[in-house]
Amino acid sequence: MSFKTFLRHVREGFKNVFRNGWMSVASITSIVVSLLVLGVFILLVLNVNSLADKADSQVQITVHLTLETKEALRDTIQNEIGSMPEVSKVEFVSKEQGLAELRKDLGPDADSILEGFDKDNNPLNDAFRVQVIQPTTVPFVAKKIEALNDTHPEKPIYKVKYGQGAIETLFKITRTIRNIGFVFVAGLGLMSMFLISNTIRVTILARRKEIGIMKLVGATNAFIRWPFFVEGALIGLLGSLVTVGVLYAGYTGLNSSMQGDPLMGWRLLPFNDIWMQLGGLLVGLGILIGIWGSTVSIRKFLKI
């Protein structure tokens, strides 16, 4: 194909979009509605996954030491925990710091609940807060820390806490959320493809006489197909761009309204952090569906 012929096909494709006014509008509207539903659900899944990741990342292990543990042994235990490949950070929490944090957590009722407890009468143990690289390894790391008692005759570790049972349930829930989100996005994507392509087929069906005449006067299949190819791509592009614009306006507006009133300390992901991936996906999908719907639909009319 010569460059001149290619330009002719592109020009005809653009003309067809405007020449078939309401049918083009119907196709673009179909793309906007379908991709809008898909885009909203993708944004929902991304934010739910972000919330799940945040919940996972806040999981930590608390290692309580016995009251008799000396400073030298305490430092040894801290080094041994810190050297574990699964551990990212080990923070020492003295019993004085632990009592101060407990008072803060209890708020106005702290004095009545902790009456008689002070720095000279502190029932708490020194402890370590352990953060891991991969949250799902928390139960495994907790068992490794407990096993350190076997290497020290003083048995310095009194208790290892990480919310056993609740943590495993949390990981199951977050994994289920991610899997369900993936299935729904994939299902909506396929549904959108068929809905949009069917609309484009109706558009081309209304022009079957035009295609038949072109075939009868000797036009090749490729010559007929290329303008429709360009038209489908343009319809898909316009529809997806409108969708991205609507999503941007709605999402940023919702995010702004939530500022200052975050749900449990959680805010929506900034649109600027995800628009490249989301916009690229929707634009690419829109163009692909437009091309696919046009080329598949015109195939049957080329068999004369």
Side-chain angles (χ1 to χ4, degrees):
M1 180 193 307
S2 67
F3 183 69
K4 183 177 180 180
T5 303
F6 175 75
L7 288 180
R8 181 265 173 196
H9 293 325
V10 172
R11 186 168 57 251
E12 285 298 312
F14 273 80
K15 286 181 179 179
N16 287 340
V17 172
F18 297 100
R19 184 184 300 147
N20 302 285
W22 287 112
M23 296 304 293
S24 295
V25 170
S27 298
I28 292 173
T29 302
S30 174
I31 290 177
V32 171
V33 172
S34 300
L35 292 185
L36 194 59
V37 173
L38 179 61
V40 168
F41 200 87
I42 290 175
L43 287 172
L44 177 62
V45 169
L46 288 174
N47 280 279
V48 169
N49 281 340
S50 174
L51 182 61
D53 289 339
K54 185 176 181 179
D56 286 352
S57 65
Q58 291 177 344
V59 174
Q60 62 181 9
I61 303 169
T62 303
V63 182
H64 297 278
L65 302 176
T66 61
L67 295 173
E68 299 79 18
T69 302
K70 303 298 182 182
E71 183 177 349
L73 181 56
R74 184 192 74 200
D75 293 341
T76 299
I77 295 296
Q78 183 172 2
N79 291 333
E80 290 178 345
I81 296 175
S83 64
M84 294 179 180
E86 300 88 0
V87 173
S88 61
K89 182 181 179 182
V90 181
E91 178 188 1
F92 173 66
V93 182
S94 67
K95 59 183 182 180
E96 292 79 14
Q97 179 183 345
L99 184 60
E101 291 178 353
L102 182 59
R103 286 185 178 278
K104 183 178 179 181
D105 292 339
L106 292 175
D109 300 326
D111 291 337
S112 58
I113 296 175
L114 300 176
E115 184 179 1
F117 295 124
D118 52 33
K119 64 178 182 179
D120 298 321
N121 182 26
N122 189 339
L124 301 181
N125 307 62
D126 290 336
F128 298 118
R129 291 195 187 110
V130 182
Q131 295 181 358
V132 297
I133 298 173
Q134 180 57 250
T136 54
T137 63
V138 164
F140 172 70
V141 174
K143 290 181 180 179
K144 287 182 67 175
I145 294 174
E146 289 176 340
L148 293 177
N149 265 346
D150 298 334
T151 62
H152 297 281
E154 301 90 342
K155 307 293 183 184
I157 297 176
Y158 171 66
K159 185 183 294 184
V160 178
K161 295 176 62 178
Y162 66 92
Q164 187 174 7
I167 295 301
E168 286 83 355
T169 301
L170 172 64
F171 291 151
K172 286 182 180 178
I173 292 174
T174 55
R175 185 168 57 249
T176 301
I177 289 172
R178 293 187 180 98
N179 292 338
I180 291 175
F182 175 79
V183 171
F184 268 87
V185 167
L188 281 173
L190 290 174
M191 184 179 69
S192 299
M193 288 184 68
F194 283 105
L195 175 62
I196 296 168
S197 64
N198 283 336
T199 304
I200 295 175
R201 287 184 184 185
V202 173
T203 303
I204 294 178
L205 182 64
R207 297 157 63 188
R208 60 186 182 277
K209 290 184 178 180
E210 173 189 343
I211 298 171
I213 293 171
M214 293 178 68
K215 281 289 292 181
L216 291 174
V217 298
T220 64
N221 288 347
F223 189 87
I224 298 172
R225 185 183 288 117
W226 265 100
F228 285 95
F229 181 93
V230 174
E231 182 181 351
L234 184 59
I235 288 174
L237 176 63
L238 292 174
S240 58
L241 289 178
V242 172
T243 302
V244 173
V246 173
L247 287 174
Y248 176 79
Y251 188 84
T252 52
L254 178 62
N255 206 1
S256 297
S257 67
M258 291 180 63
Q259 295 296 326
D261 186 26
L263 176 63
M264 299 173 58
W266 172 63
R267 290 179 178 176
L268 294 175
L269 291 169
F271 195 82
N272 290 339
D273 292 349
I274 56 178
W275 80 271
M276 284 287 289
Q277 295 84 352
L278 178 65
L281 173 64
L282 293 180
V283 170
L285 189 59
I287 294 174
L288 177 64
I289 292 173
I291 293 173
W292 180 67
S294 295
T295 53
V296 170
S297 301
I298 198 176
R299 186 179 301 165
K300 63 182 294 185
F301 300 114
L302 297 178
K303 299 176 181 178
I304 297 180

